[in-house]
PDB file of all heavy atoms in Angstrom:
ATOM      1  N   CYS B 115     168.291   6.206  10.443  1.00 93.00           N
ATOM      2  CA  CYS B 115     169.698   5.825  10.347  1.00 93.00           C
ATOM      3  C   CYS B 115     169.800   4.714   9.298  1.00 93.00           C
ATOM      4  O   CYS B 115     169.268   3.626   9.500  1.00 93.00           O
ATOM      5  CB  CYS B 115     170.047   5.356  11.749  1.00 93.00           C
ATOM      6  SG  CYS B 115     171.323   4.233  11.978  1.00 93.00           S
ATOM      7  N   ARG B 116     170.413   4.997   8.164  1.00 97.00           N
ATOM      8  CA  ARG B 116     170.459   3.993   7.084  1.00 97.00           C
ATOM      9  C   ARG B 116     171.870   3.784   6.574  1.00 97.00           C
ATOM     10  O   ARG B 116     172.457   4.648   5.925  1.00 97.00           O
ATOM     11  CB  ARG B 116     169.568   4.417   5.922  1.00 97.00           C
ATOM     12  CG  ARG B 116     169.517   3.345   4.838  1.00 97.00           C
ATOM     13  CD  ARG B 116     168.711   3.774   3.640  1.00 97.00           C
ATOM     14  NE  ARG B 116     168.578   2.667   2.709  1.00 97.00           N
ATOM     15  CZ  ARG B 116     168.745   2.760   1.392  1.00 97.00           C
ATOM     16  NH1 ARG B 116     169.039   3.921   0.830  1.00 97.00           N
ATOM     17  NH2 ARG B 116     168.616   1.698   0.627  1.00 97.00           N
ATOM     18  N   LEU B 117     172.412   2.625   6.867  1.00 97.00           N
ATOM     19  CA  LEU B 117     173.728   2.258   6.362  1.00 97.00           C
ATOM     20  C   LEU B 117     173.489   1.249   5.241  1.00 97.00           C
ATOM     21  O   LEU B 117     172.918   0.178   5.476  1.00 97.00           O
ATOM     22  CB  LEU B 117     174.538   1.624   7.495  1.00 97.00           C
ATOM     23  CG  LEU B 117     176.045   1.467   7.312  1.00 97.00           C
ATOM     24  CD1 LEU B 117     176.676   1.267   8.672  1.00 97.00           C
ATOM     25  CD2 LEU B 117     176.420   0.326   6.422  1.00 97.00           C
ATOM     26  N   TRP B 118     173.871   1.597   4.039  1.00 97.00           N
ATOM     27  CA  TRP B 118     173.634   0.721   2.895  1.00 97.00           C
ATOM     28  C   TRP B 118     174.645   1.072   1.802  1.00 97.00           C
ATOM     29  O   TRP B 118     174.955   2.242   1.626  1.00 97.00           O
ATOM     30  CB  TRP B 118     172.201   0.893   2.380  1.00 97.00           C
ATOM     31  CG  TRP B 118     171.768  -0.166   1.406  1.00 97.00           C
ATOM     32  CD1 TRP B 118     171.428   0.017   0.096  1.00 97.00           C
ATOM     33  CD2 TRP B 118     171.580  -1.571   1.656  1.00 97.00           C
ATOM     34  NE1 TRP B 118     171.058  -1.168  -0.469  1.00 97.00           N
ATOM     35  CE2 TRP B 118     171.142  -2.168   0.466  1.00 97.00           C
ATOM     36  CE3 TRP B 118     171.761  -2.375   2.782  1.00 97.00           C
ATOM     37  CZ2 TRP B 118     170.885  -3.527   0.356  1.00 97.00           C
ATOM     38  CZ3 TRP B 118     171.495  -3.729   2.669  1.00 97.00           C
ATOM     39  CH2 TRP B 118     171.057  -4.293   1.475  1.00 97.00           C
ATOM     40  N   PHE B 119     175.149   0.084   1.107  1.00 95.00           N
ATOM     41  CA  PHE B 119     176.227   0.316   0.148  1.00 95.00           C
ATOM     42  C   PHE B 119     175.659   0.709  -1.218  1.00 95.00           C
ATOM     43  O   PHE B 119     175.986   0.111  -2.238  1.00 95.00           O
ATOM     44  CB  PHE B 119     177.105  -0.926   0.048  1.00 95.00           C
ATOM     45  CG  PHE B 119     177.914  -1.194   1.278  1.00 95.00           C
ATOM     46  CD1 PHE B 119     177.320  -1.710   2.426  1.00 95.00           C
ATOM     47  CD2 PHE B 119     179.261  -0.926   1.310  1.00 95.00           C
ATOM     48  CE1 PHE B 119     178.055  -1.945   3.577  1.00 95.00           C
ATOM     49  CE2 PHE B 119     180.019  -1.163   2.446  1.00 95.00           C
ATOM     50  CZ  PHE B 119     179.406  -1.674   3.591  1.00 95.00           C
ATOM     51  N   GLU B 120     174.824   1.747  -1.205  1.00 92.00           N
ATOM     52  CA  GLU B 120     174.189   2.164  -2.464  1.00 92.00           C
ATOM     53  C   GLU B 120     175.129   3.026  -3.307  1.00 92.00           C
ATOM     54  O   GLU B 120     175.176   2.910  -4.521  1.00 92.00           O
ATOM     55  CB  GLU B 120     172.900   2.926  -2.136  1.00 92.00           C
ATOM     56  CG  GLU B 120     172.056   3.243  -3.351  1.00 92.00           C
ATOM     57  CD  GLU B 120     170.895   4.170  -3.004  1.00 92.00           C
ATOM     58  OE1 GLU B 120     170.627   4.392  -1.806  1.00 92.00           O
ATOM     59  OE2 GLU B 120     170.264   4.672  -3.946  1.00 92.00           O
ATOM     60  N   HIS B 121     175.851   3.915  -2.652  1.00 92.00           N
ATOM     61  CA  HIS B 121     176.805   4.780  -3.370  1.00 92.00           C
ATOM     62  C   HIS B 121     178.145   4.736  -2.635  1.00 92.00           C
ATOM     63  O   HIS B 121     178.606   5.751  -2.099  1.00 92.00           O
ATOM     64  CB  HIS B 121     176.295   6.223  -3.396  1.00 92.00           C
ATOM     65  CG  HIS B 121     174.964   6.389  -4.050  1.00 92.00           C
ATOM     66  ND1 HIS B 121     174.794   6.321  -5.410  1.00 92.00           N
ATOM     67  CD2 HIS B 121     173.731   6.590  -3.525  1.00 92.00           C
ATOM     68  CE1 HIS B 121     173.510   6.498  -5.702  1.00 92.00           C
ATOM     69  NE2 HIS B 121     172.850   6.653  -4.576  1.00 92.00           N
ATOM     70  N   PRO B 122     178.803   3.567  -2.590  1.00 89.00           N
ATOM     71  CA  PRO B 122     179.985   3.454  -1.714  1.00 89.00           C
ATOM     72  C   PRO B 122     181.248   4.121  -2.258  1.00 89.00           C
ATOM     73  O   PRO B 122     182.158   4.394  -1.488  1.00 89.00           O
ATOM     74  CB  PRO B 122     180.192   1.941  -1.624  1.00 89.00           C
ATOM     75  CG  PRO B 122     179.617   1.402  -2.894  1.00 89.00           C
ATOM     76  CD  PRO B 122     178.479   2.301  -3.255  1.00 89.00           C
ATOM     77  N   GLY B 123     181.295   4.375  -3.574  1.00 85.00           N
ATOM     78  CA  GLY B 123     182.527   4.935  -4.133  1.00 85.00           C
ATOM     79  C   GLY B 123     183.651   3.929  -4.109  1.00 85.00           C
ATOM     80  O   GLY B 123     183.413   2.708  -4.089  1.00 85.00           O
ATOM     81  N   ASN B 124     184.869   4.417  -4.063  1.00 78.00           N
ATOM     82  CA  ASN B 124     186.034   3.537  -4.146  1.00 78.00           C
ATOM     83  C   ASN B 124     186.939   3.607  -2.932  1.00 78.00           C
ATOM     84  O   ASN B 124     188.025   3.035  -2.939  1.00 78.00           O
ATOM     85  CB  ASN B 124     186.868   3.897  -5.385  1.00 78.00           C
ATOM     86  CG  ASN B 124     186.157   3.480  -6.650  1.00 78.00           C
ATOM     87  OD1 ASN B 124     185.661   2.362  -6.757  1.00 78.00           O
ATOM     88  ND2 ASN B 124     186.067   4.390  -7.610  1.00 78.00           N
ATOM     89  N   GLU B 125     186.538   4.354  -1.917  1.00 83.00           N
ATOM     90  CA  GLU B 125     187.416   4.493  -0.749  1.00 83.00           C
ATOM     91  C   GLU B 125     186.711   4.042   0.520  1.00 83.00           C
ATOM     92  O   GLU B 125     185.514   4.273   0.679  1.00 83.00           O
ATOM     93  CB  GLU B 125     187.851   5.958  -0.585  1.00 83.00           C
ATOM     94  CG  GLU B 125     188.888   6.361  -1.605  1.00 83.00           C
ATOM     95  CD  GLU B 125     189.589   7.644  -1.226  1.00 83.00           C
ATOM     96  OE1 GLU B 125     189.644   7.971  -0.018  1.00 83.00           O
ATOM     97  OE2 GLU B 125     190.071   8.318  -2.135  1.00 83.00           O
ATOM     98  N   ASP B 126     187.473   3.407   1.397  1.00 87.00           N
ATOM     99  CA  ASP B 126     186.922   2.994   2.683  1.00 87.00           C
ATOM    100  C   ASP B 126     186.429   4.232   3.440  1.00 87.00           C
ATOM    101  O   ASP B 126     186.991   5.320   3.297  1.00 87.00           O
ATOM    102  CB  ASP B 126     187.989   2.278   3.505  1.00 87.00           C
ATOM    103  CG  ASP B 126     188.406   0.969   2.855  1.00 87.00           C
ATOM    104  OD1 ASP B 126     187.550   0.337   2.204  1.00 87.00           O
ATOM    105  OD2 ASP B 126     189.577   0.585   2.976  1.00 87.00           O
ATOM    106  N   GLN B 127     185.391   4.038   4.232  1.00 93.00           N
ATOM    107  CA  GLN B 127     184.829   5.169   4.984  1.00 93.00           C
ATOM    108  C   GLN B 127     184.941   4.865   6.472  1.00 93.00           C
ATOM    109  O   GLN B 127     184.413   3.851   6.935  1.00 93.00           O
ATOM    110  CB  GLN B 127     183.385   5.407   4.554  1.00 93.00           C
ATOM    111  CG  GLN B 127     183.326   5.745   3.064  1.00 93.00           C
ATOM    112  CD  GLN B 127     182.011   6.342   2.614  1.00 93.00           C
ATOM    113  OE1 GLN B 127     181.138   6.632   3.413  1.00 93.00           O
ATOM    114  NE2 GLN B 127     181.889   6.538   1.320  1.00 93.00           N
ATOM    115  N   ILE B 128     185.626   5.743   7.165  1.00 93.00           N
ATOM    116  CA  ILE B 128     185.960   5.478   8.564  1.00 93.00           C
ATOM    117  C   ILE B 128     185.382   6.576   9.441  1.00 93.00           C
ATOM    118  O   ILE B 128     185.715   7.761   9.250  1.00 93.00           O
ATOM    119  CB  ILE B 128     187.487   5.368   8.727  1.00 93.00           C
ATOM    120  CG1 ILE B 128     187.950   4.111   7.982  1.00 93.00           C
ATOM    121  CG2 ILE B 128     187.894   5.296  10.194  1.00 93.00           C
ATOM    122  CD1 ILE B 128     189.359   4.125   7.562  1.00 93.00           C
TER     123      ILE B 128
END
Side-chain angles (χ1 to χ4, degrees):
Chain B
C115 154
R116 184 184 186 225
L117 195 161
W118 193 244
F119 291 75
E120 188 188 349
H121 301 286
N124 289 313
E125 285 196 25
D126 294 328
Q127 299 195 6
I128 293 156

